[in-house]
Amino acid sequence: MSAEVKVPTLGESVTEATVGQWLKQPGDPVKLDEPIASLETDKVAVEVPSPVNGVMGQQLVKEGDTVSVGAVLATIEDGVAAAGNTPVTPREEAAQPPASDSIAPKTVPAAAPEAAPAPAPAPTPAQAPAAAPAPAAAFDAAALSPAVRRAVLEHGIDPATVKGTGKDGRLTKEDVLSAAQAKPAAPAAAPEEAAPAPAAAPAPGRAEERVRMTRLRQTIAKRLKSAQDTAALLTTFNDVDMSAVIAAREKYRDSFEKKHGVRLGFMGFFAKAACLALKDVPSVNAQIDGEEIVYHDYVDISVAVSAPNGLVVPVVRDADKLGFAGIEKAIGAFGKKAKDGTLTMDDMKGGTFTISNGGVFGSLMSTPIINPPQSAVLGLHRIEDRPVVVDGQIVIRPMMYIALSYDHRLIDGREAVTALKIIKDAIEDPTRILIDL
C-alpha cells in the first residue's frame, strides 16, 4: 500500500511552486516528516515532508516542473527498511549488498558486479567495494542544490569529503568554495579524475551553461522591473561620519554581547535612526494604493539578507518599539534562517521600509531599488577612512556614503533629503536616538 505526497499549502495568495530538488530518490528509506523534496515559491524554498514511514516510491514530477497546491508529487511505499530500523547495525550489515545495487549505479559503476559475489563468507577484497557506499551516503545526505552542484563540478570537489554547515549537515556553496581554497595541489589525482576534461579542453574559457532561473530569481526580476516601470524613482545621497558609532560599539561590545547574547552591530543603529526619520517624515513610511496613500503609524523594517538563491527581505516588525538587542536578535535569526533555507512566507510578509547593506560586499556607492509596494529604501555602503574638513581642519575620519531611493510620486525631494539628514545626524550623534530627537 502506498501513500501520496502532495504539494502543501504554500501561503497566502501562493498557488503554485517549482520543484527545486528531490532530496530522496526511489528506493531510499524515509521516515515520517523527513523532507523528501524542496519546492521553490516566489519568495522562499519549502521542504515537503513524508506523510508516513516507508520507502520512496515513484516520482511523478521532475526537477524544474511547476506544480499546484494539492498536486501529487510522489508516492511512499510500505517497507520495513524505513520502519525505524535504520540505526540498527545488524540491519545495515544485512542490507549492505542491496544498498550496493541501488547506490553503485550513481557513484561507482564497478560496484555492480561486486553485488553478486558479496554473499561470500569473508572475502578480504570485498572490503574495498564495501567502503564505497560511505561517500555515496554522504553525497545523498548533502542534498545538493543546483548552485552547490555547479560549484562541485567547477572545482572538482568530492562532496563526500566536505562537511556541510547547512541545515541537517547539507552542503552549501560556501562549504564547497572553502574546500576548493583549502584543497592542496594534487597533480597525481587530477589526471585520473579529470579524465573527462579533454572534452572541454578544445575551447578553454568559452564554455557555456544554461541554467533555468529559479522561481525566486524570476520573481525578483519581475518585481524590480515593475518597480522601475511603475514608480518615479529618484535617489538622494549623503555621507556619514561613523566615528561615534564605532566608538560606542568598541566601548560596549563585550558587555552588550554578555548581557543579550548577540553582537552589537551597525544595523541596529541604522534601524533606530531610520525609525526617527520615518516618524518625522511619515510619507517615507507610506505607500500608494490605487488613488490613495496609506500611512503607517508603525515601522516594519525589511532587512535585505543574502540567501543561497538570491536576495530576500525578511521583516523586523515594530522596529520602532524594539531596543537594539531586539533588532540585532531578529536580524541574526533571519540571517541564519536565510542560510539554512528555512525562511517562511510570514517572515517576509509586509514591511513598510527597507534597509539594504551593500557595504558588507565592498560597495562604495549604489542606487538601491525600492521594494514595492514600499516607497523608499535606505542603502548602506562600506566604511573607509577619508579626509574631511572639521572645524576648519583636514582630518581623517571613517566615512560611509548612504543613499535613499524613493518614489517621487509620493515623496518630494525635500522630504527625502530631510529623512536622510535625520538618519545622518542620529548616526553621527547616537544620543539623539536615546532622547528621540
Side-chain angles (χ1 to χ4, degrees), residues 78-414:
D78 288 339
V80 295
N85 299 325
T86 303
V88 181
T89 303
R91 178 220 165 253
E92 291 179 350
E93 294 177 353
Q96 196 168 11
S100 298
D101 290 341
S102 61
I103 296 177
K106 299 180 186 176
T107 57
V108 186
E114 295 293 335
T124 304
Q127 293 179 359
F139 179 88
D140 291 340
L144 306 184
S145 68
V148 174
R149 285 198 295 268
R150 288 198 299 273
V152 166
L153 294 175
E154 289 173 2
H155 297 281
I157 299 297
D158 181 0
T161 64
V162 182
K163 183 178 180 181
T165 61
K167 182 181 179 183
D168 297 330
R170 297 178 193 168
L171 286 185
T172 66
K173 184 177 179 181
E174 290 74 15
D175 295 331
V176 177
L177 296 179
S178 298
Q181 293 176 354
K183 179 177 162 183
E192 296 179 1
E193 296 186 2
R206 294 183 59 80
E208 293 182 352
E209 180 183 10
R210 289 182 178 269
V211 179
R212 182 183 178 87
M213 293 177 67
T214 64
R215 180 173 290 272
L216 175 60
R217 176 53 59 184
Q218 293 179 45
T219 301
I220 291 173
K222 291 176 182 178
R223 286 174 61 83
L224 293 181
K225 184 57 181 172
S226 175
Q228 287 184 320
D229 293 341
T230 304
L233 291 177
L234 193 63
T235 304
T236 182
F237 299 91
N238 215 319
D239 60 355
V240 178
D241 184 348
M242 297 292 293
S243 300
V245 168
I246 292 175
R249 289 182 73 234
E250 289 295 327
K251 184 176 181 179
Y252 299 110
R253 177 172 53 191
D254 294 340
S255 55
F256 184 89
E257 184 171 3
K258 182 177 180 180
K259 179 176 180 178
H260 299 290
V262 65
R263 295 178 59 188
L264 178 60
F266 291 118
M267 190 62 78
F269 287 92
F270 279 101
K272 297 303 291 183
C275 290
L276 291 181
L278 300 181
K279 291 295 184 179
D280 287 352
V281 189
S283 61
V284 181
N285 195 43
Q287 67 184 57
I288 294 177
D289 184 10
E291 297 182 352
E292 298 178 333
I293 299 175
V294 180
Y295 292 96
H296 306 101
D297 63 354
Y298 54 88
V299 178
D300 288 350
I301 296 183
S302 302
V303 181
V305 175
S306 180
N309 292 330
L311 199 68
V312 293
V313 280
V315 181
V316 179
R317 305 192 188 281
D318 295 318
D320 53 324
K321 297 180 177 63
L322 294 177
F324 280 80
I327 292 174
E328 294 292 354
K329 287 179 180 179
I331 294 174
F334 285 142
K336 185 177 185 304
K337 292 176 72 173
K339 182 180 179 180
D340 295 342
T342 57
L343 284 171
T344 66
M345 300 293 289
D346 288 338
D347 290 333
M348 292 182 288
K349 187 184 301 182
T352 62
F353 182 77
T354 294
I355 299 179
S356 178
N357 186 6
V360 297
F361 305 109
S363 173
L364 176 64
M365 186 180 293
S366 67
T367 56
I369 299 178
I370 63 173
N371 179 25
Q374 298 173 20
S375 299
V377 53
L378 175 67
L380 310 182
H381 303 92
R382 75 170 185 251
I383 303 171
E384 63 176 8
D385 289 340
R386 290 200 298 269
V388 295
V389 178
V390 178
D391 297 329
Q393 300 293 322
I394 298 178
V395 296
I396 302 297
R397 293 292 175 83
M399 303 297 293
M400 175 197 286
Y401 289 116
I402 57 177
L404 184 72
S405 291
Y406 58 98
D407 188 348
H408 212 339
R409 298 177 302 164
L410 172 61
I411 304 170
D412 294 332
R414 176 183 61 84

